[in-house]
Amino acid sequence: MRNVDPFAFFRAHQDTIFRWLGVAGVLLLIFLLLRIVARRLGGWRRAGRRARREIAVTAYAFVAPMRTWYVHHKDRKLLRRLLGDPVTWRDAERALTAARLAAAPARPYAVLVGADSVRVLLAGRRTPDPTGCWHEAPDTTGEWRASRDELPLVTPEADAVPPVLIALGATDTQAAFLDAAAGPATLCVEGHPQAAAPLMQAIAAQLDARLPASLVVVAEGVHRDFDGPPVREAYRTAEEALPRLNIPPFLIAPELPDPLPAGLASPRPPCRVVLLGAGRGHTRTLLTDRHGQVLLTGTPLLVRAKALGRALPKVLWRLPAVLPPAPMGSRSPERQSTDLFEEEPTAAWTAEPGTAAPLPWEAPAGVPAPQEAGAAQHSPLPASAPLNAPPPPRHSPGR
């Protein structure tokens, strides 16, 4: 190297030298520009934090739609599998009834059912220690857990109101059910308009599918394709309806009658109300947001309900009745027509060989469907109604 002519070396490698000098100049220019920007932002640390935040926001903007679609698809499959299985509803009812007996004076108001376990949410100032198949959740208060296989097979409670469950949505691995027969008589669905209205329509469809026709009155305005009676007329129909086995009538309306009837303002209203919007007096509120989440205010119950409107219509015809019909051999002659779905017979009917027995709420072919005094009569929903909202048409002659 001592004998190398520097001018000859430069002439031989001038392209490489100028190339590296250009790269160094560009890097120096970039550094100076970044330095100017960093000084305007308050220093290198603040600039670094802002850059990381911008990168995270940009990545979330690309990943969030795919993640939302995946969660929605997962919730829809979960709800279709759990809600379409009548055993899920029966286990939820057994869990609520068993917890009601074991947790008194606390009151269960909701249950989350998974593939193998159930979680019951309790409300009350004093919750006793869990007994039997129940054990308290280690990380939360006011919640009991149990295995579905360990639930008691029979939970008799003749003098109390049986649980009237409605599905609200899903968590990661469980379906959430709310007892519509417990708590305040008015259930309000509030929040984002694009989420509150479908949730109310899903609740109406479940009640209409699981209760007899005389116990569910749907007023006009609940769904655009359902021509129900006006709100005040619907309230009169629900007020005149007769409770059956301690289950009161349900009025589903977009608003309260104006002026407010005296019956709704009494401590014991004649019917329970599912309302879209704010109510009056002692109410229970389901609060929705634009992401499709539902919160039962004042409780830790927070579920995702966006997939409920898509999953429920696929399994609505499989929803079991609130109370199963009593076995034919267990009815005594002194106690006839005491079942929830049993009507006074108007003609004898005997099943022919090879024919299936009618459903509890259906009348046999050729036998007119009897009506109770004050039963609610309203037109069925059209067959072209959207899947995510109104109560579907019943197949019984009385509807």
Side-chain angles (χ1 to χ4, degrees), residues 152-168:
L153 298 179
V154 179
T155 53
E157 195 174 2
D159 297 334
V161 179
V164 181
L165 297 181
I166 52 176
L168 294 182

Side-chain angles (χ1 to χ4, degrees), residues 318-375:
R318 301 183 61 184
L319 301 188
V322 173
L323 287 181
M328 186 66 65
S330 64
R331 298 175 183 172
S332 59
E334 300 84 1
R335 299 182 59 187
Q336 296 182 355
S337 300
T338 58
D339 190 73
L340 178 63
F341 291 94
E342 186 180 0
E343 303 283 356
E344 290 293 339
T346 57
W349 181 83
T350 304
E352 298 180 358
T355 61
L359 294 176
W361 55 82
E362 293 182 344
V367 179
Q371 302 293 338
E372 291 183 355

Side-chain angles (χ1 to χ4, degrees), residues 201 219-228 379-391:
Q201 294 166 359
E220 66 176 356
V222 175
H223 193 272
R224 62 179 182 272
D225 294 333
F226 179 69
D227 298 329
S379 59
L381 288 173
S384 60
L387 293 179
N388 62 342

Side-chain angles (χ1 to χ4, degrees), residues 32 37 58 63 69 137 144 149 152 154-155 158 190 203 228 232 241 270 297 315 318 330 346 351 359-360 397:
L32 294 177
V37 174
T58 304
V63 176
W69 176 86
W144 283 5
D149 297 335
V154 179
T155 53
E190 302 182 28
I203 293 175
R232 181 162 291 277
T297 57
V315 299
R318 301 183 61 184
S330 64
T346 57
L359 294 176

Side-chain angles (χ1 to χ4, degrees), residues 63-81 168-172 174 194-195 198 290-293 303-314 387-388:
V63 176
M66 297 299 298
R67 182 184 301 173
T68 302
W69 176 86
Y70 174 75
V71 173
H72 177 77
H73 183 69
K74 180 182 176 181
D75 290 346
R76 185 173 59 181
K77 291 180 60 178
L78 176 68
L79 290 175
R80 288 183 62 177
R81 185 178 72 251
L168 294 182
T171 60
D172 293 335
Q174 296 171 322
Q194 295 183 356
R290 62 187 182 92
H291 301 289
Q293 297 185 120
V303 297
R304 297 186 297 267
K306 183 179 292 186
L308 181 64
R310 289 295 186 90
L312 187 61
K314 303 296 183 179
L387 293 179
N388 62 342

Side-chain angles (χ1 to χ4, degrees), residues 263-311:
L264 287 180
S266 63
R268 293 184 177 181
C271 62
R272 302 187 73 88
V273 182
V274 180
L275 189 65
L276 181 62
R280 299 182 184 179
H282 190 203
T283 63
R284 182 167 54 178
T285 303
L286 292 173
L287 188 62
T288 61
D289 61 5
R290 62 187 182 92
H291 301 289
Q293 297 185 120
V294 178
L295 171 67
L296 182 62
T297 57
T299 69
L301 183 60
L302 177 64
V303 297
R304 297 186 297 267
K306 183 179 292 186
L308 181 64
R310 289 295 186 90

Side-chain angles (χ1 to χ4, degrees), residues 211-217 238 241-244 247-251 340 372 375-376:
L211 292 177
S214 61
L215 293 183
V216 181
V217 183
L242 300 177
R244 306 180 65 177
I247 300 180
F250 282 83
L251 170 64
L340 178 63
E372 291 183 355

